């Protein structure tokens, strides 16, 4: 009896030892968080005044993205004198900076400006990026935007969009004699320039997506007839795409820059055509008794999304680049127009018309996941940033108070105005410069 | 005579019975009417006391600074080419500045983690795992002796004096029992306060990252949290995963030290694997 008890006791003791943990590893699953702009410290770069100006542009770029919160330089505890030395991380942790940017701008003997910067992980106590740029001094804004893109990309994983330009229609003059000029500006609204003089009306400018060319396609009413034109920004040279006897609308480049897809009107109906820019051969892609217009290529060039009212109301369709497999993808309420395929390929932006209001929305290319992301009264004509994350669009104000360009994140956050001199509309976003 | 008296009595009793019945009827009726008044009052006056609930819609306001006016250039110039090249990594900081540099992130191969036994074997006396294994009962060993040996084996949790991580033995699935739920919740709630996940990035399933986290008894982070091998490989190949890993690592550091973990159960929360999964939050 005792023996049995002892055996049982031994077995139990052995089992408990076997099961007793040496060290347990806790498994923790974190799936809730606090989406906040990242607090980042960007002191003025060394080398005034360029260093101060460049840091100011970088702070403004990152703040404008809605994903960063540049801290007030007056709260900084340390002055960085040598960017090639690790900073005193504790000083930056104290003010709750999670990232730090240090930089310097120095004049080179050949007259060019060299801008060097480092991005530091304050809590991880190490450098994340170290890079330098050299260019003519008057390109300091562009270098600042490139630095912003580097920081943005390293922290978010997304490619940046600050080193880009926006081509748009600037409106001038009284309501009854409005002149529409083709204009171009930096993505942050600086350096606006007029490209035409307003003698003739210009509509729907679109960039050539191949970045080495700075070409735009747009509609113009020269001699009272609407035509599609190509405009080279650098040379100012303008050429008509073709002698069409019919009205042509809403031109867009293919991703390789070799083709322009557009709609041609004939006898009251409008169909989609594609022109090869090298051979000038024109191919008809849709053939319906409806209004098919506003085509846009997918980033791989294999599909085209467009707007059609063949079903009775304006809706969004997708087809292969050769015109086959035309199928509708928008089935939500209201009417849907002006589809634009994101450069990332995962979303199509569009204008929703419902109950008298126009708003910007996005949906997946199969039509699912539809979301309305703008909140105005008349928001239309979206254009994508080259990273497929941010959009700009035209917002018309009630009561004839003119039109403005606004931007919004594809998630619907961070809706804000892009400041322009006077009224502006029809923005088109360039690819990353260089 | 008696019949008349009895009838009288009967009559009186009947009369009193009726009287009491009528008075009880009256009482019931009075109570019912009072109740009715109260109920009616509740239903009508309650609404009169309602205060209109609609408040004006909240209009978010953006404070936008007006950009400086710039001159309009007469022509557009081609932007000059910009040369770019990477800067050399900074020299190691002079002794006066800072602590030794921490291990690099991916893509460099992970430095030897503090986990393996080597450095710390001298400090930590009884290595837990091997000794804790059950002694296989030998045939020629008496039961008494075996029982005594098992019962007298050294405890499995040595105390560490310094903040370094001692060798661990991961015993697997049996460890996660209901008692650890509160520890998981405590650590998770703390880290969630500081986790700033990448929102709006594509393919949220590629943003899931896991870290080995070692904590000191005071709740501070011991060493540097290391990505698991699988997450390291994912981060090396995908800038979004790498950004997610950075955000997770920042969260771990920013919310340290973790004070909501019971010190007497340090062994249970000293080592953890923390997985960050943003699928519920990102984009759509």
């Amino acid at each position: 009896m005792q023996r049995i008890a002892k055996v049982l006791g031994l077995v139990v003791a052995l089992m408990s030892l076997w099961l007793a943990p040496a060290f347990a590893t806790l498994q923790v699953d974190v799936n809730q968080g606090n989406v906040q702009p990242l607090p980042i410290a960007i002191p003025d770069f060394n080398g005034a005044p360029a260093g101060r100006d460049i840091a100011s542009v970088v702070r403004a770029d990152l703040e404008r993205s809605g994903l960063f919160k540049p801290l007030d330089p007056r709260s900084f505890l340390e002055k960085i004198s040598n960017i090639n030395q690790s900073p005193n991380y504790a000083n930056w942790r104290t003010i709750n900076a999670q990232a730090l940017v240090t930089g310097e701008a120095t004049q080179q003997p050949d007259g060019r400006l060299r801008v060097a910067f480092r991005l530091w992980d304050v809590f991880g106590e190490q450098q994340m990026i170290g890079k330098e740029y050299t260019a003519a001094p008057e390109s300091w804004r562009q270098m600042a935007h490139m630095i912003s893109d580097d920081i943005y990309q390293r922290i978010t994983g997304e490619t940046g969009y600050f080193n880009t330009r926006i081509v748009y229609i600037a409106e001038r003059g009284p309501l009854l004699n409005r002149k529409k000029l083709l204009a171009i500006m930096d993505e942050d609204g600086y350096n606006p320039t007029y490209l035409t003089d307003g003698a003739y009306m210009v509509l729907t400018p679109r960039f050539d997506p191949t970045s080495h060319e700075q070409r735009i396609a747009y509609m113009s009413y020269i001699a009272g007839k609407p035509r599609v034109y190509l405009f080279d920004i650098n040379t100012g040279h303008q050429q008509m795409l073709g002698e069409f006897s019919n009205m042509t609308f809403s031109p867009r480049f293919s991703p390789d820059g070799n083709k322009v897809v557009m709609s041609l009107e004939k006898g009251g109906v409008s169909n989609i055509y594609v022109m090869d820019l090298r051979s000038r051969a024109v191919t008809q892609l849709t053939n319906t008794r409806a209004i098919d217009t506003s085509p846009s290529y997918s980033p791989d060039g294999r599909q085209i999304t467009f707007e059609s009212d063949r079903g009775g109301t304006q809706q969004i369709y997708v087809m292969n680049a050769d015109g086959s497999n035309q199928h509708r993808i928008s089935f939500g309420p209201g009417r849907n127009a002006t589809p634009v395929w994101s450069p990332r390929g995962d979303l199509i932006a569009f204008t929703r018309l419902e109950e008298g209001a126009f708003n910007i929305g996005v949906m997946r290319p199969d039509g699912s996941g539809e979301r309305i992301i703008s909140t105005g009264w008349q928001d239309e004509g979206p254009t994508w940033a080259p990273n497929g994350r941010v959009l700009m669009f035209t917002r018309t104000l009630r009561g004839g108070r003119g039109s403005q360009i606004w931007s919004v994140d594809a998630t619907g956050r961070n809706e804000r105005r892009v400041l322009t001199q006077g009224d502006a509309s029809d923005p088109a976003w360039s690819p990353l410069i260089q | 005579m008696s019949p008349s008296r009895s009838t009288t009595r009967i009559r009186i009793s009947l009369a009193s019975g009726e009287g009491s019945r009528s008075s009880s009827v009256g009482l019931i009726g009075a109570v019912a009417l009072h109740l009715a008044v109260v109920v009616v009052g509740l239903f009508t006056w309650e609404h009169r006391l309602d205060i209109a609930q609609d408040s004006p819609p909240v209009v978010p306001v953006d404070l936008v600074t007006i950009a400086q006016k710039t001159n309009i250039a007469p022509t557009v110039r081609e932007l000059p080419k910009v040369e770019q090249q990477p800067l050399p990594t900074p020299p190691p900081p002079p002794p006066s500045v800072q602590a030794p540099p921490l291990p690099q992130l991916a893509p460099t191969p992970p430095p030897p983690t503090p986990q393996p036994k080597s450095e710390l074997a001298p400090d930590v006396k009884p290595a837990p795992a091997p000794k804790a294994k059950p002694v296989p009962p030998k045939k020629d060993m008496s039961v008494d002796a075996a029982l005594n040996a098992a019962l007298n084996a050294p405890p499995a949790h040595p105390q560490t004096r310094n903040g370094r991580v001692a060798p661990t033995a991961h015993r697997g699935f049996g460890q996660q029992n209901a008692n650890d739920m509160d520890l998981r919740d405590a650590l998770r709630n703390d880290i969630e306060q500081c986790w700033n996940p990448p929102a709006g990035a594509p393919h949220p399933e590629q943003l899931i990252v896991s870290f080995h986290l070692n904590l000191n008894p005071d709740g501070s982070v011991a060493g540097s949290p290391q990505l698991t091998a699988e997450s390291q490989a994912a981060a090396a190949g995908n800038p979004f995963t790498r950004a997610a890993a950075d955000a997770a690592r920042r969260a771990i550091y920013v919310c340290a030290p973790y004070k909501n973990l019971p010190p007497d159960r340090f062994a249970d929360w000293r080592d953890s694997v923390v997985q960050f999964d943003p699928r519920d939050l990102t984009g759509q």
Side-chain angles (χ1 to χ4, degrees):
Chain A
M1 198 56 206
Q2 257 190 350
R3 204 173 171 77
I4 293 173
K6 274 192 181 166
V7 168
L8 276 176
L10 171 65
V11 167
V12 168
L14 289 175
M15 279 172 59
S16 64
L17 283 171
W18 172 257
L19 290 175
F23 293 102
T25 302
L26 206 57
Q27 301 284 341
V28 181
D29 292 318
V30 176
N31 44 35
Q32 293 298 320
N34 228 341
V35 176
Q36 299 282 341
L38 181 83
I40 185 169
I42 308 173
D44 287 344
F45 287 12
N46 297 333
R52 189 184 57 235
D53 294 337
I54 290 171
S56 166
V57 170
V58 173
R59 282 194 288 266
D61 283 348
L62 295 178
E63 191 279 328
R64 205 168 54 249
S65 73
L67 302 178
F68 294 85
K69 184 177 145 194
L71 299 171
D72 187 343
R74 288 171 298 182
S75 66
F76 298 165
L77 302 175
E78 181 187 351
K79 170 120 179 60
I80 304 285
S81 50
N82 180 1
I83 72 159
N84 297 318
Q85 196 175 2
S86 295
N88 187 336
Y89 294 108
N91 282 341
W92 302 97
R93 274 199 295 272
T94 308
I95 59 168
N96 292 323
Q98 296 189 15
L100 165 67
V101 179
T102 59
E104 64 187 11
T106 47
Q107 201 86 34
Q108 299 297 94
D110 59 1
R112 295 193 301 166
L113 187 67
R114 171 186 170 274
V115 182
F117 80 100
R118 297 184 191 272
L119 170 68
W120 306 89
D121 180 351
V122 170
F123 281 82
E125 297 195 351
Q126 58 186 322
Q127 177 184 285
M128 297 170 87
I129 314 173
K131 227 172 176 185
E132 67 175 37
Y133 293 96
T134 310
E138 55 266 26
S139 299
W140 68 269
R141 285 201 87 96
Q142 188 189 9
M143 287 195 278
H145 291 315
M146 293 168 96
I147 291 171
S148 303
D149 281 337
D150 288 333
I151 296 169
Y152 179 91
Q153 177 163 16
R154 181 64 179 83
I155 300 278
T156 69
E158 316 246 18
T159 47
Y161 59 90
F162 303 107
N163 186 25
T164 55
R165 291 191 290 186
I166 310 293
V167 88
Y168 63 103
I169 305 296
E171 301 186 22
R172 280 212 307 219
L175 203 57
L176 296 178
N177 189 17
R178 194 71 95 176
K179 281 193 182 208
K180 290 181 185 260
L181 287 68
L182 193 63
I184 189 167
M185 62 181 173
D186 291 351
E187 180 271 334
D188 60 357
Y190 280 78
N191 296 329
T193 310
Y194 295 113
L195 301 175
T196 62
D197 61 5
Y200 43 87
M201 187 181 269
V202 174
L203 294 171
T204 63
R206 308 276 180 246
F207 258 102
D208 178 344
T210 53
S211 54
H212 57 279
E213 305 253 1
Q214 292 282 299
R215 279 194 311 180
I216 305 172
Y218 64 91
M219 264 178 67
S220 179
Y221 279 81
I222 296 178
K225 287 215 166 81
R227 296 277 188 267
V228 174
Y229 290 87
L230 285 184
F231 183 89
D232 187 313
I233 295 180
N234 296 328
T235 64
H237 178 59
Q238 175 172 273
Q239 54 171 312
M240 189 167 62
L241 265 198
E243 291 279 351
F244 301 111
S245 54
N246 314 92
M247 293 166 59
T248 52
F249 298 99
S250 45
R252 271 219 169 80
F253 284 91
S254 64
D256 59 11
N258 292 330
K259 298 196 273 278
V260 170
V261 70
M262 64 189 124
S263 58
L264 285 178
E265 183 271 344
K266 221 185 254 186
V269 300
S270 170
N271 279 302
I272 300 196
Y273 292 73
V274 60
M275 172 192 270
D276 186 311
L277 288 174
R278 295 161 296 187
S279 65
R280 298 291 166 129
V282 176
T283 312
Q284 184 169 358
L285 297 180
T286 70
N287 188 5
T288 63
R289 303 294 307 164
I291 311 267
D292 294 349
T293 185
S294 201
S296 165
Y297 272 97
S298 64
D300 61 8
R302 296 219 198 112
Q303 290 178 290
I304 295 173
T305 179
F306 62 98
E307 169 196 323
S308 173
D309 65 357
R310 60 183 70 176
T313 58
Q314 287 158 286
Q315 298 296 343
I316 298 173
Y317 288 72
V318 169
M319 64 180 170
N320 294 332
D322 62 4
S324 60
N325 191 22
Q326 299 174 18
H327 59 281
R328 179 171 158 181
I329 64 167
S330 69
F331 292 95
R335 293 174 287 148
N336 301 283
T338 73
V340 192
W341 215 305
S342 140
R344 228 159 47 181
D346 59 341
L347 292 172
I348 292 177
F350 58 93
T351 304
R352 154 76 51 79
L353 295 73
E354 189 179 357
E355 292 172 9
F358 290 42
N359 280 113
I360 307 299
V362 292
M363 67 169 71
R364 293 194 208 100
D366 62 3
S368 65
E370 192 181 287
R371 284 177 293 127
I372 300 300
I373 60 172
S374 80
T375 60
W377 166 70
Q378 189 170 331
D379 297 339
E380 56 188 325
T383 179
W384 287 97
N387 70 354
R389 167 103 194 220
V390 187
L391 292 132
M392 282 193 189
F393 57 91
T394 305
R395 170 165 288 175
T396 305
L397 303 174
R398 272 196 231 233
R401 288 187 291 123
S403 56
Q404 301 168 340
I405 296 175
W406 281 65
S407 74
V408 69
D409 190 279
T411 57
R413 292 193 183 93
N414 199 32
E415 192 180 279
R416 57 168 82 198
R417 181 169 171 206
V418 179
L419 289 174
T420 50
Q421 292 184 341
D423 285 352
S425 63
D426 286 298
W429 216 314
S430 82
L432 277 172
I433 300 173
Q434 273 186 320
Chain B
M1 265 140 32
S2 38
S4 66
R5 214 183 296 140
S6 64
T7 47
T8 314
R9 228 181 270 126
I10 290 169
R11 249 191 241 116
I12 288 172
S13 68
L14 271 177
S16 63
E18 276 171 3
S20 69
R21 218 184 352 248
S22 70
S23 67
S24 68
V25 165
L27 183 63
I28 291 169
V31 169
L33 280 174
H34 276 87
L35 271 176
V37 167
V38 168
V39 164
V40 165
L42 274 177
F43 276 110
T44 55
W45 288 344
E46 183 182 335
H47 291 302
R48 291 203 189 221
L49 290 175
D50 278 350
I51 299 170
Q53 287 297 331
D54 36 316
S55 50
V58 175
V59 177
V61 174
D62 259 354
L63 295 177
V64 179
T65 52
I66 305 292
Q68 297 161 13
K69 281 211 183 284
T70 56
N71 290 326
I72 300 173
T75 57
V76 179
R77 292 166 293 115
E78 179 171 328
L79 291 171
K81 262 196 166 324
V82 171
E83 296 173 13
Q84 49 175 286
Q85 54 190 354
L87 285 176
T89 47
S96 58
V97 175
Q98 261 305 340
L102 294 172
Q104 285 277 344
L105 290 176
T108 57
T113 65
Q115 303 256 349
K117 25 282 186 170
S118 51
E119 303 162 20
L120 298 174
D123 282 340
V124 179
K125 276 301 170 232
K131 295 237 169 84
K133 276 208 168 75
V135 177
K138 296 202 174 86
K139 290 218 162 60
D140 53 352
M141 198 173 178
S142 73
V143 175
D144 286 341
L147 182 59
N148 288 334
L151 289 173
N152 291 333
H157 308 171
Q159 300 287 335
T160 52
R161 291 285 151 73
N162 53 17
R164 311 289 291 279
V165 180
T168 61
H170 300 289
R171 284 310 195 89
F173 53 89
Q175 317 311 318
Q176 297 298 313
N177 52 29
N179 292 340
D180 292 337
M181 184 83 87
D182 59 329
L183 299 177
R184 291 206 287 279
D185 286 345
L187 194 51
R188 179 184 56 236
N189 287 338
D190 283 346
I191 296 178
E192 278 176 0
Q193 307 295 323
C194 300
W195 185 40
N196 192 354
H203 307 299
E205 66 281 1
Q206 294 174 2
L207 305 177
I208 303 173
V209 290
S210 293
F211 277 88
H212 293 290
L213 174 61
N214 307 119
L215 296 172
N216 293 319
D218 64 354
S220 60
V221 177
S224 132
Q226 297 294 324
L227 283 165
T228 60
E230 189 187 336
S231 291
Q232 184 116 34
N238 184 333
F240 290 102
T241 314
R242 182 195 202 191
D246 287 346
R249 190 184 293 101
R250 274 196 296 271
I252 292 174
Y253 277 125
V254 172
C255 263
Y258 296 94
K259 295 293 188 194
N260 290 325
L261 299 165
D264 56 329
R265 292 169 63 195
F266 173 61
D268 293 334
W269 50 263
R270 189 168 86 169
D271 303 323
S272 50
V273 173
V274 186
Q275 180 185 82
F276 294 81
D277 183 348
R279 280 176 296 180
D280 289 344
L281 301 167
T282 56
Q284 289 70 301

